[in-house]
Coordinates of all heavy atoms in Angstrom, one line a residue:
F1 N -10.2 -6.0 6.5 CA -9.2 -5.2 6.9 C -7.9 -6.0 7.1 O -6.8 -5.6 6.7 CB -9.5 -4.5 8.3 CG -10.2 -3.3 8.2 CD1 -11.6 -3.3 8.0 CD2 -9.5 -2.2 8.3 CE1 -12.3 -2.0 7.8 CE2 -10.2 -0.9 8.1 CZ -11.6 -0.9 7.9
I2 N -8.0 -7.3 7.6 CA -6.8 -8.0 7.7 C -6.2 -8.5 6.3 O -5.0 -8.4 6.0 CB -7.0 -9.3 8.6 CG1 -7.2 -9.0 10.0 CG2 -5.9 -10.4 8.4 CD1 -5.9 -8.4 10.7
F3 N -7.1 -8.8 5.4 CA -6.7 -9.2 4.1 C -6.1 -8.0 3.4 O -5.1 -8.2 2.7 CB -7.9 -9.6 3.3 CG -7.5 -10.0 1.9 CD1 -6.9 -11.2 1.5 CD2 -8.0 -9.2 0.8 CE1 -6.5 -11.6 0.3 CE2 -7.7 -9.5 -0.5 CZ -6.9 -10.7 -0.8
S4 N -6.7 -6.9 3.6 CA -6.1 -5.6 3.0 C -4.6 -5.3 3.6 O -3.7 -5.0 2.8 CB -7.0 -4.4 3.2 OG -6.4 -3.2 2.8
A5 N -4.5 -5.5 4.8 CA -3.2 -5.3 5.5 C -2.2 -6.3 5.0 O -1.0 -5.9 4.8 CB -3.3 -5.4 7.0
V6 N -2.6 -7.6 4.8 CA -1.7 -8.7 4.3 C -1.2 -8.3 2.9 O 0.0 -8.4 2.6 CB -2.4 -10.0 4.4 CG1 -1.5 -11.0 3.6 CG2 -2.6 -10.4 5.8
T7 N -2.1 -8.0 2.0 CA -1.7 -7.7 0.6 C -0.7 -6.5 0.5 O 0.1 -6.5 -0.3 CB -2.9 -7.5 -0.3 OG1 -3.7 -6.4 0.3 CG2 -3.7 -8.8 -0.4
K8 N -0.9 -5.6 1.4 CA 0.0 -4.5 1.5 C 1.4 -4.9 2.0 O 2.4 -4.5 1.5 CB -0.6 -3.3 2.3 CG -1.7 -2.6 1.6 CD -2.3 -1.5 2.7 CE -3.5 -0.7 2.0 NZ -4.7 -1.4 2.0
A9 N 1.4 -5.6 3.1 CA 2.6 -6.0 3.8 C 3.4 -6.9 3.0 O 4.7 -7.0 3.2 CB 2.2 -6.7 5.1
L10 N 2.8 -7.6 2.0 CA 3.6 -8.6 1.2 C 4.6 -7.8 0.3 O 5.6 -8.4 -0.2 CB 2.6 -9.4 0.3 CG 1.9 -10.6 1.0 CD1 0.8 -11.1 0.1 CD2 2.9 -11.6 1.4
D11 N 4.3 -6.6 0.0 CA 5.2 -5.7 -0.9 C 5.0 -4.2 -0.3 O 4.4 -3.5 -0.9 CB 5.0 -5.9 -2.3 CG 6.1 -5.3 -3.1 OD1 6.9 -4.5 -2.7 OD2 6.2 -5.6 -4.3
L12 N 5.7 -4.0 0.8 CA 5.5 -2.7 1.4 C 6.0 -1.5 0.5 O 5.5 -0.4 0.5 CB 6.2 -2.6 2.7 CG 5.4 -3.3 3.9 CD1 6.3 -3.4 5.1 CD2 4.2 -2.4 4.2
H13 N 7.2 -1.8 -0.3 CA 7.7 -0.9 -1.1 C 6.7 -0.4 -2.2 O 6.6 0.7 -2.5 CB 9.0 -1.3 -1.6 CG 9.8 -0.2 -2.5 ND1 9.6 -0.1 -3.9 CD2 10.5 0.8 -2.2 CE1 10.2 0.9 -4.3 NE2 10.9 1.5 -3.3
A14 N 6.2 -1.5 -2.8 CA 5.2 -1.2 -3.9 C 4.0 -0.5 -3.4 O 3.5 0.5 -4.0 CB 4.7 -2.5 -4.5
F15 N 3.6 -0.8 -2.1 CA 2.4 -0.1 -1.5 C 2.8 1.4 -1.3 O 2.1 2.3 -1.5 CB 2.0 -0.7 -0.3 CG 0.9 0.1 0.5 CD1 -0.3 0.5 -0.2 CD2 1.1 0.5 1.7 CE1 -1.3 1.2 0.5 CE2 0.1 1.2 2.4 CZ -1.1 1.5 1.8
A16 N 4.1 1.7 -0.8 CA 4.6 3.0 -0.6 C 4.6 3.8 -1.9 O 4.2 5.0 -1.8 CB 6.0 3.0 0.0
V17 N 4.9 3.2 -3.0 CA 4.8 3.9 -4.3 C 3.4 4.2 -4.6 O 3.1 5.4 -5.0 CB 5.4 3.0 -5.4 CG1 5.3 3.7 -6.8 CG2 7.0 2.8 -5.2
Q18 N 2.4 3.4 -4.3 CA 1.1 3.6 -4.6 C 0.6 4.8 -3.6 O -0.2 5.7 -4.1 CB 0.2 2.4 -4.3 CG 0.4 1.3 -5.3 CD -0.3 0.0 -5.0 OE1 -0.3 -0.4 -3.8 NE2 -1.0 -0.6 -5.9
V19 N 1.0 4.9 -2.5 CA 0.7 6.0 -1.6 C 1.1 7.3 -2.2 O 0.4 8.3 -2.1 CB 1.3 5.8 -0.2 CG1 1.3 7.1 0.7 CG2 0.7 4.6 0.5
S20 N 2.3 7.3 -2.8 CA 2.8 8.5 -3.3 C 2.0 9.0 -4.5 O 2.0 10.3 -4.7 CB 4.3 8.4 -3.7 OG 4.4 7.5 -4.8
Y21 N 1.3 8.1 -5.2 CA 0.4 8.6 -6.3 C -0.7 9.4 -5.8 O -1.4 10.1 -6.6 CB 0.0 7.4 -7.1 CG 0.9 6.9 -8.1 CD1 1.7 5.6 -7.8 CD2 1.0 7.5 -9.3 CE1 2.5 5.2 -8.9 CE2 1.9 7.0 -10.3 CZ 2.7 5.9 -10.0 OH 3.5 5.4 -11.0
Y22 N -1.1 9.4 -4.5 CA -2.1 10.2 -4.0 C -1.7 11.7 -4.0 O -2.7 12.5 -4.0 CB -2.5 9.8 -2.7 CG -3.4 8.5 -2.6 CD1 -2.9 7.3 -2.8 CD2 -4.8 8.7 -2.4 CE1 -3.7 6.2 -2.7 CE2 -5.7 7.6 -2.4 CZ -5.1 6.3 -2.5 OH -5.9 5.2 -2.5
G23 N -0.4 11.9 -4.0 CA 0.0 13.3 -4.2 C -0.1 14.1 -2.9 O 0.1 15.3 -2.8
V24 N -0.4 13.4 -1.8 CA -0.5 14.1 -0.5 C 0.8 14.1 0.2 O 1.3 15.2 0.8 CB -1.5 13.5 0.4 CG1 -1.6 14.1 1.8 CG2 -2.9 13.5 -0.3
V25 N 1.6 13.1 0.2 CA 2.9 12.9 0.8 C 3.8 12.3 -0.3 O 3.5 11.4 -0.9 CB 2.9 11.9 2.0 CG1 4.3 11.8 2.5 CG2 1.9 12.3 3.0

């Protein structure tokens, strides 16, 4: 869980784009 949080936090904008691909938000 910590490793997953770190890799997301390193580029939060890129992760936000990935979140948008889910089509929910």
Side-chain angles (χ1 to χ4, degrees):
F1 272 81
I2 289 292
F3 179 72
S4 178
V6 167
T7 53
K8 292 178 175 71
L10 284 170
D11 193 341
L12 279 168
H13 183 266
F15 175 55
V17 175
Q18 290 173 316
V19 168
S20 68
Y21 274 104
Y22 280 77
V24 177
V25 181

